[in-house]
């Protein structure tokens, strides 16, 4: 049985388990000569700083983005005077350098066990990591926790780890990362995404069930980890990895093939992004633009709200990298599982239906206004597209839009350069909004279906609860009718419609969406190649007529029928 976690970065990999458990040994507790111990500690600190400098110089980590910020923050922590002073004081008190490092580390650990604030936990974790690093320099091996012989294909497993610790492992050998605690905003996860390896987080009790060098398969797409898979599974996975690499090559080679169906319908294929590094995928995949830019992560990795200027720099960078391709910025969707360490505790009893996204923004308007101001500044003379998350009623959209208008008026009054044009849209994630479509469509410039949230609310099924998450199928008659009706209403009103939930990245679902009339979809980069291939093998007209017959069907799921349709009509719907 595979262990399930949460998807942090997609991809499939196989290798041997390397358990990240930094080893620490203290040869002697008390020193004979404090001066000597001070000198040893000072030298170890200097050596550690030099080693960090060369480690962070890895080419793969070049360029700006959150991963650089994370590493630079770590670098600042390493310079922390208070931490260095506490260790020196412990040496003055008679401890050896090693014992002093450990004492300060123990104090930190006690604090860590009580800290619930995720930012503080990351910081305390950095100190833990730095302490381990110092120990290695003191013991004279100068190397890293990962200095020992490593297998060729490393699947790294850890309870949690700091961003720099990941870089201790030769990036060339790193195939995947699995964390017992990590989330998408963990600093190590951000660096792992920059290295482009599959990452699965929140896999409980993993380390206790695994031995070093056990074979492990990591399926980042489905957030599953297979420990000691039997030979058959291993062979199959090895085959799939080859196939995946082959496909990746193929997709890359065909990234400039226009996503036009056999009967000449142009489909706009876009990417979902959330880190600056994701912007590189535009060139890699040949996508038309960014259909969803999630703005939460930069807020989550900091210790306080990023200033307007810090946000402006980030958004301007995103727009620079996008060039002529459009970017749909989604305003902050915090709350639920996306907590900000420096903001009120947003954990409600039922977080996905709690105080989140636009609800927070409208109750704390300065937060949204600052973000909108930064977006306006970033766009200067360029096109700006903004959409609001989790809008439940037209009145909410109006309130959010009014804040945007205020910011635009303010900018104008100050004589600033306005964006060349401003397009304002909303996500459709709350079913209630469906019953206000005419009023909504008169107000918006575009609409994007957030199918992940929309369907969890539509079916009243928690998307994070494995007991029910798979119970209903998005390829079911009710959902298809709903989407068809939406397409009809948007077409009649002349409002561009897209869909940016996960279903857009699955070829069979994407085929169905196109058959229903969607002409723009947005997905995670790893899926775009497969969806492009599907598009180019599809005839829309016959599929549209076929779907007409299914809206009224009593089936629980139409998946088999649609799969059979694809097979019979030569539509390539293999997953990427
Ligand atoms: C969605 O709900 O479909 C969506 C794209 O938003 P998120 O996954 O960020 O909640
Ligand atoms: Mg959503």
């Amino acid at each position: 049985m595979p262990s399930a976690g949460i998807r942090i970065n997609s991809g499939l990999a196989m290798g041997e388990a390397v358990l990240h458990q930094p080893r620490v040994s203290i040869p002697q507790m008390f020193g004979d000569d404090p001066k000597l111990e001070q000198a040893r500690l000072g030298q170890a600190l200097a050596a550690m700083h030099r080693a960090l400098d060369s480690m962070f110089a890895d080419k793969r980590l070049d360029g700006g983005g959150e991963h650089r910020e994370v590493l630079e923050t770590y670098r600042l922590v390493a310079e922390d005077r208070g931490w260095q002073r506490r260790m020196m004081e412990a040496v003055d008190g008679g401890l050896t350098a090693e014992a002093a490092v450990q004492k300060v580390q123990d104090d930190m650990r006690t604090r860590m066990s009580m800290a619930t604030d995720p930012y503080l936990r990351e910081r305390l974790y950095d100190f833990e990591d730095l302490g381990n690093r110092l120990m290695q320099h003191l013991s004279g091996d100068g190397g890293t926790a990962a200095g020992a012989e490593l297998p060729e294909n490393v699947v790294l497993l850890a309870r949690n780890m700091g961003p720099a610790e990941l870089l201790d492992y030769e990036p060339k050998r790193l195939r995947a990362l699995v964390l017992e605690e990590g989330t998408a905003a963990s600093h190590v996860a951000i660096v792992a995404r920059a290295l482009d390896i599959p990452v699965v987080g929140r896999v409980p009790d993993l380390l206790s069930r695994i031995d070093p060098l056990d074979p492990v398969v990591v399926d980042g797409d489905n957030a599953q980890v297979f420990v000691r898979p039997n030979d058959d599974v291993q062979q199959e996975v090895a085959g799939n990895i080859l196939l995946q690499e082959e496909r990746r090559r193929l997709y890359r080679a065909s990234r400039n093939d226009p996503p036009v169906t056999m009967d000449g319908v142009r489909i706009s294929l876009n990417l979902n992004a959330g880190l600056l590094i994701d912007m590189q995928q535009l060139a890699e995949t040949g996508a038309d633009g960014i259909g969803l830019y999630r703005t939460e992560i930069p807020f989550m990795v900091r210790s306080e709200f990023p200033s307007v200027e810090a946000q402006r720099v980030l958004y301007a960078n995103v727009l620079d990298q996008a060039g002529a391709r459009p970017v749909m910025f989604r305003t902050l969707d915090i709350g639920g599982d996306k907590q900000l360490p420096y903001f009120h505790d947003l954990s409600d009893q039922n977080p996905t239906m709690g105080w989140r996204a636009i609800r927070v923004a409208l109750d704390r308007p300065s937060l949204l206004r600052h973000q909108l101001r930064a977006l306006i500044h970033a766009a200067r003379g360029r096109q700006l597209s903004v959409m609001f998350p989790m809008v439940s009623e037209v009145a909410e959209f109006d309130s959010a839009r009014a804040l945007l208008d205020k910011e635009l008026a303010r900018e104008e009054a100050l004589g600033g350069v306005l964006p060349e044009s401003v397009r304002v849209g909303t996500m459709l994630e709350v079913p209630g909004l469906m019953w206000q479509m005419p009023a909504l469509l008169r107000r918006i410039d575009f609409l994007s279906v957030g199918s992940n949230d929309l369907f969890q609310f539509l079916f009243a099924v928690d998307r994070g609860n494995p007991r029910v998450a798979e119970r209903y199928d998005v390829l079911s008659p009710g959902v298809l009718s709903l989407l068809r009706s939406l397409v009809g209403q948007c077409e009649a009103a002349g409002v561009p419609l897209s869909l940016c939930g996960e279903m857009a990245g699955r070829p069979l679902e994407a085929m169905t969406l196109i058959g229903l009339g969607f002409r723009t979809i947005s997905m995670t980069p790893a899926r775009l190649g497969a969806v492009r291939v599907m598009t180019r093998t599809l005839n829309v007209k016959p599929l549209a007529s076929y779907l007409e017959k299914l809206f009224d069907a009593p089936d629980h799921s139409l998946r088999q029928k649609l799969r059979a349709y694809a097979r019979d009509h030569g539509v390539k719907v293999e997953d990427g």
Side-chain angles (χ1 to χ4, degrees):
M1 271 292 283
S3 308
I6 55 165
R7 184 177 79 197
I8 296 183
N9 204 25
S10 59
L12 180 66
M14 184 161 66
E16 276 122 61
V18 171
L19 276 50
H20 176 73
Q21 280 160 337
R23 58 206 150 83
V24 184
S25 58
I26 308 281
Q28 197 184 325
M29 282 302 286
F30 298 100
D32 306 323
D33 179 356
K35 285 251 162 343
L36 177 72
E37 293 301 322
Q38 264 185 9
R40 288 184 63 229
L41 186 57
Q43 279 158 11
L45 276 163
M48 181 188 80
H49 286 299
R50 279 195 302 275
L52 287 175
D53 285 342
S54 64
M55 192 163 84
F56 289 176
D58 190 302
K59 279 226 161 10
R60 262 168 287 215
L61 301 165
D62 275 358
E66 292 79 358
H67 65 283
R68 271 283 23 133
E69 235 172 81
V70 158
L71 294 174
E72 271 147 32
T73 309
Y74 178 86
R75 206 72 191 72
L76 282 179
V77 175
E79 307 278 355
D80 188 274
R81 291 272 171 79
W83 175 62
Q84 301 187 9
R85 195 194 59 238
R86 281 196 295 280
M87 290 188 294
M88 285 298 179
E89 281 169 1
V91 166
D92 286 344
L95 295 182
T96 57
E98 286 90 345
V101 174
Q102 193 184 46
K103 178 182 180 305
V104 173
Q105 215 172 10
D106 286 346
D107 294 346
M108 288 280 188
R109 234 174 257 144
T110 314
R111 285 175 60 194
M112 179 142 61
S113 65
M114 289 181 293
T116 50
D117 172 337
Y119 188 82
L120 191 59
R121 282 183 71 89
E122 291 279 357
R123 286 295 70 78
L124 291 172
Y125 203 85
D126 285 346
F127 282 117
E128 170 96 13
D129 168 23
L130 287 162
N132 294 338
R133 231 169 257 281
L134 265 184
M135 287 288 199
Q136 263 123 34
H137 285 284
L138 283 167
S139 73
D141 74 9
T144 62
E149 278 293 291
L150 285 177
E152 195 52 39
N153 299 302
V154 174
V155 171
L156 193 57
L157 304 125
R159 186 167 59 76
N160 201 348
M161 70 196 306
E165 284 174 292
L166 182 67
L167 300 178
D168 285 339
Y169 297 86
E170 240 181 291
K172 254 194 356 255
R173 291 176 194 240
L174 265 185
R175 298 288 169 264
L177 172 68
V178 184
L179 301 166
E180 284 188 350
E181 293 180 356
T183 64
S186 314
H187 293 187
V188 65
I190 289 171
V191 176
R193 270 170 79 172
L195 295 176
D196 198 21
I197 54 172
V199 186
V200 177
R202 292 230 202 111
V203 184
D205 305 325
L206 184 71
L207 295 176
S208 59
R209 288 183 287 120
I210 218 163
D211 288 318
L213 302 183
D214 271 350
V216 185
V217 168
V218 180
D219 176 355
D221 293 2
N222 299 302
Q224 290 189 325
V225 180
F226 299 80
V227 179
R228 294 181 289 275
N230 64 33
D231 287 350
D232 290 350
V233 174
Q234 286 196 39
Q235 261 179 21
E236 193 179 320
V237 171
N240 279 337
I241 291 174
L242 282 179
L243 208 69
Q244 175 185 280
E245 282 165 3
E246 174 72 32
R247 282 201 188 124
R248 273 195 178 192
R249 266 196 298 278
L250 202 87
Y251 295 151
R252 232 186 101 73
S254 54
R255 66 189 187 278
N256 293 323
D257 292 353
V260 175
T261 65
M262 308 260 282
D263 47 354
V265 181
R266 173 68 160 86
I267 308 299
S268 172
L269 302 182
N270 298 273
L271 299 183
N272 295 347
L275 292 174
L276 198 54
I277 192 125
D278 297 338
M279 297 301 290
Q280 293 174 5
Q281 295 291 333
L282 274 175
E284 295 278 316
T285 60
D288 288 302
I290 302 292
L292 165 64
Y293 196 94
R294 295 183 168 103
T295 55
E296 299 72 69
I297 290 183
F299 283 77
M300 293 165 78
V301 300
R302 286 186 167 79
S303 58
E304 56 187 14
F305 278 114
S307 64
V308 172
E309 176 56 13
Q311 291 186 59
R312 182 199 65 79
V313 169
L314 174 68
Y315 305 145
N317 219 329
V318 169
L319 289 170
D320 290 346
Q321 296 207 23
R325 306 185 213 215
V327 179
M328 311 287 170
F329 285 102
R330 180 177 77 183
T331 60
L332 261 186
D333 182 7
I334 49 166
D337 61 340
K338 299 170 196 155
Q339 297 287 327
L340 302 186
Y342 44 87
F343 196 53
H344 302 265
D345 184 359
L346 299 171
S347 47
D348 295 296
Q349 254 203 349
N350 206 337
T352 55
M353 295 201 275
W355 198 49
R356 64 175 275 210
I358 199 71
R359 302 168 184 183
V360 175
L362 293 177
D363 291 352
R364 298 283 181 276
S366 62
L367 210 157
L368 180 57
R369 283 189 69 164
H370 287 167
Q371 186 175 31
L372 293 169
R373 192 173 303 168
L375 284 165
I376 292 167
H377 286 172
R380 282 177 75 89
R382 299 186 269 200
Q383 191 183 83
L384 174 63
S385 299
V386 178
M387 60 182 172
F388 301 115
M390 284 289 290
V391 172
S392 304
E393 53 171 6
V394 165
E396 267 177 355
F397 175 79
D398 281 348
S399 305
R401 160 112 225 185
L403 294 179
L404 175 63
D405 289 337
K406 266 193 192 157
E407 283 304 318
L408 286 165
R410 176 183 183 275
E411 193 57 28
E412 194 165 16
L414 290 173
V417 182
L418 291 176
E420 176 207 281
S421 63
V422 181
R423 298 175 69 233
V424 193
T426 176
M427 304 271 293
L428 177 63
E429 294 172 292
V430 182
L433 198 56
M434 286 288 295
W435 280 267
Q436 282 198 295
M437 265 309 146
L440 182 71
L441 292 173
R442 282 197 295 277
R443 291 166 158 80
I444 56 178
D445 299 312
F446 63 93
L447 183 67
S448 187
V449 181
S451 52
N452 306 340
D453 274 317
L454 182 64
F455 297 138
Q456 83 165 337
F457 298 131
L458 196 69
F459 288 122
V461 54
D462 180 352
R463 79 193 215 200
N465 177 345
R467 283 183 83 163
V468 292
E470 307 278 309
R471 191 175 177 97
Y472 304 100
D473 197 343
V474 291
L475 295 180
S476 56
V479 172
L480 266 48
S481 318
L482 179 154
L483 292 174
R484 176 67 208 141
S485 142
L486 194 61
V487 168
Q489 295 183 65
C490 288
E491 269 173 9
V495 173
L497 172 67
S498 68
L499 185 142
C500 60
E502 306 221 342
M503 70 181 288
R506 295 193 208 106
L508 187 68
E509 280 85 336
M511 174 192 92
T512 310
L513 290 171
I514 295 171
L516 291 170
F518 279 83
R519 296 294 173 261
T520 303
I521 48 179
S522 189
M523 66 209 75
T524 179
R527 305 283 194 163
L528 195 129
V531 174
R532 182 191 299 277
V533 168
M534 179 280 296
T535 305
R536 292 171 56 81
T537 53
L538 173 69
N539 267 306
V540 182
K541 265 215 181 97
L543 173 62
S545 328
Y546 177 69
L547 290 174
E548 289 290 334
K549 298 186 204 112
L550 299 180
F551 295 138
D552 217 17
D555 306 38
H556 162 70
S557 164
L558 299 168
R559 192 165 290 274
Q560 293 309 330
K561 287 183 177 160
L562 288 163
R563 200 169 278 290
Y565 179 94
R567 192 188 54 231
D568 296 346
H569 292 76
V571 190
K572 292 199 172 143
V573 288
E574 290 90 19
D575 277 321

